[in-house]
Amino acid sequence: MTFLSSLLAAISVRAQQPAKAPVHVGWHDEFDRPYEWKHLDVANKPNLDWSKPGLLGLALTRVPFDWPYQYQWSGVTKTATIEVLHHPVLVANVTSLSGYAHLDVDVLDEKDKLLVQLRSNTLQAPGVCSINLGEHMFSGTYTFRIRLIVGGPNSGCNATYDWIRVTSVEDRDRLMADPNLPFITEPSSL
């Protein structure tokens, strides 16, 4: 088989495979604007790595002097306005992990008063963590204080986040199976 016939055969096989249907998302952050994420107000701030475009690395290398706990945790935070009716699930993709990672969310009212605190499942290996916001509040548009968390042993831990999005329950399940699915932003929920 010649190179050209091999290439044509590979193109033919690829053309016969169905394209992956995109997931529908509302608010999302692909980690391409690092200045929007701030350190948590805690003693052990993570080292942030923005060296690879679209990836946010969080690393905890040592604990502060007289750290009273047998493990450490920290993270970054950002505030976002999210419409819950059409996109009730907040999901984040963690592509590398040593320790654990999860999301924490404060739901705020129009005066920034705390309504409820929510937490995602905890990852101990790379994967997608999620919070079904729709299970905890009425449909509507809310302000969320989102925290991306990394934690683990005092000797050090790290997590790399690839993206964070809001989507439907069905699309969350698809993203958990394949976090690299293409997505379409639905402007009505931005």
Side-chain angles (χ1 to χ4, degrees):
M1 190 179 262
T2 68
F3 172 75
L4 182 57
S5 60
S6 296
L7 179 63
L8 290 174
I11 291 171
S12 175
V13 168
R14 177 173 265 172
Q16 293 173 6
Q17 295 174 344
K20 294 180 180 180
V23 296
H24 297 269
V25 302
W27 176 87
H28 62 97
D29 191 326
E30 306 306 309
F31 300 123
D32 53 0
R33 295 178 305 276
Y35 54 86
E36 293 182 355
W37 290 90
K38 307 295 181 203
H39 284 102
L40 294 178
D41 188 19
V42 294
N44 63 328
K45 296 184 180 357
N47 297 318
L48 303 181
D49 180 4
W50 295 96
S51 62
K52 295 179 183 171
L55 296 176
L56 168 56
L58 307 174
L60 295 171
T61 55
R62 59 184 161 177
V63 295
F65 180 73
D66 288 339
W67 184 253
Y69 308 107
Q70 294 185 12
Y71 66 94
Q72 61 177 322
W73 67 271
S74 192
V76 293
T77 186
K78 177 180 181 174
T79 301
T81 301
I82 298 173
E83 185 272 317
V84 176
L85 176 64
H86 297 99
H87 303 98
V89 182
L90 181 66
V91 291
N93 185 29
V94 178
T95 58
S96 68
L97 181 60
S98 172
Y100 67 86
H102 63 83
L103 302 172
D104 286 339
V105 176
D106 293 340
V107 183
L108 308 173
D109 70 8
E110 62 279 350
K111 296 180 182 179
D112 287 339
K113 180 182 175 194
L114 180 66
L115 297 174
V116 65
Q117 290 182 314
L118 304 171
R119 183 175 175 171
S120 74
N121 56 309
T122 300
L123 298 175
Q124 295 182 336
V128 175
C129 54
S130 69
I131 302 171
N132 189 336
L133 306 169
E135 289 181 345
H136 302 281
M137 62 197 63
F138 296 111
S139 296
T141 301
Y142 296 88
T143 300
F144 293 88
R145 186 180 308 122
I146 302 167
R147 291 180 294 280
L148 306 176
I149 303 297
V150 60
N154 287 342
S155 58
C157 53
N158 60 72
T160 301
Y161 286 84
D162 186 12
W163 48 255
I164 183 169
R165 303 174 180 153
V166 290
T167 192
S168 66
V169 173
E170 296 79 16
D171 280 344
R172 176 215 42 209
D173 295 344
R174 293 181 56 221
L175 285 168
M176 290 183 93
D178 183 355
N180 298 312
L181 288 172
F183 69 93
I184 296 173
T185 303
E186 296 180 343
S188 63
S189 63
L190 293 177

